[in-house]
């Protein structure tokens, strides 16, 4: 069975690029410009969640990851925070993300981060 990734980004072009790359690598990708997939996380049961810190809606990506990590039912899902922020490593650590992906990113690095966390 393919590993599942929930992918939430703030930019449609980046979302599509990441989705295409990960599907080409054999992952099942549930991608969105909103946090809607997070509301169905118990049904989706992803192996990895990749969330941009600057997403649409009332919460930041780091808040979404923090909530996932505080919930006993979702704390074991690998969570990767992505951003262009210069303080991304600190933000990722503060929200208990398992890893982070700096933008702009190299395609091979994206694949490495996902493989390492899935």
């Amino acid at each position: 069975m393919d590993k599942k990734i929930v992918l939430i980004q703030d930019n449609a072009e980046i979302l599509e690029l990441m989705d295409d790359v990960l599907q080409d690598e054999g992952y099942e990708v549930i991608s969105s410009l909103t946090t809607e997939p997070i509301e169905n996380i118990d049904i989706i049961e992803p192996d990895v969640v990749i969330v941009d810190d600057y997403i649409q809606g009332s919460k930041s990506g780091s808040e979404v990851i923090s909530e996932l990590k505080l919930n006993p039912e979702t704390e074991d899902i690998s969570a990767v925070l992505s951003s262009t922020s210069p303080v991304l490593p600190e933000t990722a650590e503060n929200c208990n993300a398992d890893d982070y992906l700096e933008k702009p990113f190299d395609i091979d690095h994206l694949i490495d981060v996902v493989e390492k966390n899935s």
Side-chain angles (χ1 to χ4, degrees):
M1 187 166 94
D2 290 343
K3 294 204 174 203
K4 286 188 204 170
I5 299 174
V6 167
L7 177 62
I8 302 170
Q9 294 293 305
D10 66 334
N11 178 294
E13 291 172 359
I14 292 173
L15 180 71
E16 185 176 342
L17 171 70
M18 292 174 82
D19 187 313
D20 289 347
V21 167
L22 294 170
Q23 284 193 42
D24 286 349
E25 289 296 311
Y27 293 97
E28 179 181 340
V29 182
I30 296 91
S31 60
S32 180
L33 291 168
T34 71
T35 58
E36 186 177 335
I38 299 297
E39 296 162 21
N40 299 312
I41 201 124
D42 54 333
I43 297 165
I44 297 169
E45 297 181 339
D47 297 284
V48 182
V49 174
I50 303 172
V51 188
D52 188 86
D53 202 23
Y54 303 106
I55 51 175
Q56 297 176 20
S58 59
K59 295 179 189 171
S60 67
S62 52
E63 289 173 309
V64 169
I65 289 174
S66 185
E67 288 176 9
L68 288 173
K69 292 301 183 178
L70 289 171
N71 182 337
E73 293 180 18
T74 56
E75 68 184 359
D76 292 333
I77 298 171
S78 290
V80 177
L81 185 66
S82 67
S83 179
T84 57
S85 170
V87 294
L88 178 59
E90 293 87 356
T91 305
E93 185 177 333
N94 290 339
C95 72
N96 294 318
D98 296 287
D99 211 336
Y100 60 89
L101 181 65
E102 293 177 291
K103 292 179 181 176
F105 56 86
D106 174 271
I107 302 265
D108 291 331
H109 183 63
L110 166 64
I111 295 165
D112 288 346
V113 167
V114 171
E115 285 178 356
K116 183 172 87 173
N117 290 284
S118 61

